Amino acid sequence: MSETTRYQHFIGGEHVAPTSGEYFPSINPATRNVLYEAARGGADDIDRAVRSARATFEDPAWRDLSQTKRGHLLRRLGDLIGENAEELARMESSDNGKLLREMRGQLAGLPEYYLYYAGLADKIHGSVIPTSDRSVLNYTKREPLGVVGAITPWNSPLTLTTSKLAPALSVGNTVVIKPSEYTSATVLRLAELVLEAGFPPGAVNVVTGFGAEAGQALADHRDIAKISFTGSTATGARIAANTASRFIGSTLELGGKSPNIVFEDANVANAAMGVVAGIFAAAGQTCIAGSRVFAHRSVYDELLERVTERARTIKIGDPLDEATELGPLAFEDQRDKVAGYVDLGRSEGAKVLTGGNATDAGLGGFFYEPTVLVDVDNDMRVVREEIFGPVAAIMPFETEEEVVRLANDTEYGLAAGVWTSNLSRAHRVADRLEAGTIWINTYRAMSPMSPRQGFKNSGVGVEHGTETIKEYTRLKSVWVNTSEDPVADPFVLRS
Ligand code: NDP
């Protein structure tokens, strides 16, 4: 019998055993087999990682490295991820149950994030500010913050870590990552590749463990300059309160309950595929899931038929099998949560058109059938709360005015889909929807170049694009008197 692999923390460029001496298992959600054990981190491990990151931040070898050379390192890291893409895709697919074909797609795009921020690294600078006194030179500098704490979820560990890591490193920060307890492996491997790319030891550290232990300790650590978090709105709220009380910043990418709106003038066949992509891809375990579907009354029946038909034929199975279209939910509690919501919907009066059952797909894992709920309205909990599973609630509407109101009637504001062939309507509705990302006649499009921001309870701050650079830098304003003349009046404010 082979021994279970044991992963240690990655601190200061080395594999480090947990202070507690304890490890916890990570389960393959498709089969329930134990994949590996990861170190159970606590406050001592986090402290060690933050001290290592701080020492590297202050080390001239990193601090004084030219911006161009930082770009070279990021480019090399992107290349290494590309070279190791298949290994990383398989690892993550086994760890969180995401389809290998989707992971291969994510991994094919991941190097671009590093290349994008590599390109930006030597284009980040301050500016000269005009003043009313010609003898005064005022200029600004964009400086790194220090040690950034990154706390990430299990649904797309590498991609969501990268959204934080690439910009944070490009401007000269160092980073401590606490990955989700369900998906430690690929983030640990990523940290090894960071070292291999030539970043100094301590530039990127990973402490694995539980949210309430390692995560909380990272968010609480007094030498952290910022927390960048992706996860649930509830945890995000705790982190926001905690960081605000210490006057440090946080970037928060949180939950969603995104509307996907199909107008009467839409190409309904395409819209139906957009609805399927929005809610059944990744088994609905994406923050941007289009979980509230609104279809104009005149196309409601056709859309329902197309979506339900496709949902019924979705191939559930082993995520490593190229033919599989729906893998398991990432862990047992998540599967039970999804099942609980569908039962709640039934008790609230919803009708299950297709799906509505847990299954082990013959593999022993935590699968749930693609599910379509109808006879639902915007007041039901299944329509208001994030389920994070393959469950679509489909509702009819009559007018544009009405659907904009219904779409915006949510605590969230992450994303929205609009399906229409009317150009004016597309832009008009995009303008009125309260969401940070709007897709028109498409869904789930993403790029490192395009900024994304959650509105309302979906987050604070921007990820991706040039905008996110501000999240990882601080601005310093420097005033220089170029005149040798005596100061005219020391009691008057200078400008
Ligand atoms: P959680 O908020 O439970 O966890 C996210 C991360 O925070 C994990 O690493 C977790 O550790 C950690 N954590 C948990 N409690 C604490 C704490 N008290 N202090 C510090 N860290 C803590 O979310 P999930 O892992 O359940 O992720 C799913 C959620 O993430 C969904 O609600 C989804 O909408 C959201 N999400 C948002 C995205 C976005 O871009 N807006 C993208 C992807 C997901 P542990 O795993 O050990 O509990």
Side-chain angles (χ1 to χ4, degrees), residues 231-445:
S232 63
T233 296
T235 309
R238 271 204 297 279
I239 288 175
N242 180 334
T243 49
S245 71
R246 290 185 290 136
F247 307 106
I248 64 169
S250 56
T251 302
L252 308 169
E253 291 286 332
L254 309 174
K257 193 77 186 176
S258 299
N260 209 350
I261 305 169
V262 183
F263 282 100
E264 64 275 25
D265 51 26
N267 176 329
V268 181
N270 284 351
M273 284 310 101
V275 169
V276 167
I279 192 63
F280 298 133
Q285 298 173 113
T286 71
C287 51
I288 51 177
S291 46
R292 292 185 300 143
V293 180
F294 297 99
H296 189 268
R297 177 79 66 188
S298 63
V299 294
Y300 176 78
D301 288 342
E302 183 188 349
L303 185 90
L304 213 53
E305 197 182 315
R306 286 180 183 272
V307 171
T308 308
E309 191 49 42
R310 188 65 188 88
R312 284 197 182 110
T313 58
I314 284 176
K315 190 170 180 316
I316 305 176
D318 180 358
L320 293 174
D321 182 340
E322 277 287 343
T324 300
E325 295 173 326
L326 190 111
L329 297 167
F331 49 97
E332 190 165 13
D333 283 354
Q334 182 63 17
R335 199 270 316 274
D336 293 347
K337 178 182 156 192
V338 172
Y341 264 113
V342 175
D343 290 345
L344 174 70
R346 285 185 176 109
S347 71
E348 284 179 310
K351 186 171 159 198
V352 178
L353 265 197
T354 187
N357 298 299
T359 165
D360 73 355
L363 299 167
F366 314 121
F367 296 80
Y368 198 87
E369 294 171 350
T371 300
V372 174
L373 301 180
V374 291
D375 295 347
V376 285
D377 65 53
N378 235 19
D379 293 328
M380 291 180 175
R381 281 184 58 198
V382 278
V383 182
R384 299 205 77 79
E385 297 174 18
E386 184 177 49
I387 299 176
F388 223 60
V391 182
I394 307 192
M395 296 161 275
F397 70 90
E398 306 279 354
T399 67
E400 184 181 309
E401 192 64 27
E402 176 196 10
V403 79
V404 167
R405 182 174 50 74
L406 290 170
N408 287 338
D409 179 18
T410 168
E411 68 176 280
Y412 296 110
L414 199 57
V418 179
W419 299 85
T420 176
S421 57
N422 179 330
L423 191 65
S424 311
R425 167 178 274 161
H427 291 291
R428 194 167 60 234
V429 172
D431 186 54
R432 294 187 59 199
L433 288 173
E434 293 169 5
T437 297
I438 313 285
W439 289 297
I440 295 169
N441 295 331
T442 186
Y443 207 90
R444 276 186 106 218

Side-chain angles (χ1 to χ4, degrees), residues 4 15 42 52 57 66 69 135 148 185 236 263 286 307 317 364 370 397 400 429 492:
T4 307
H15 301 279
S52 166
F57 179 72
S66 77
K69 287 197 173 129
S135 65
V148 171
F263 282 100
T286 71
V307 171
F397 70 90
E400 184 181 309
V429 172
V492 173

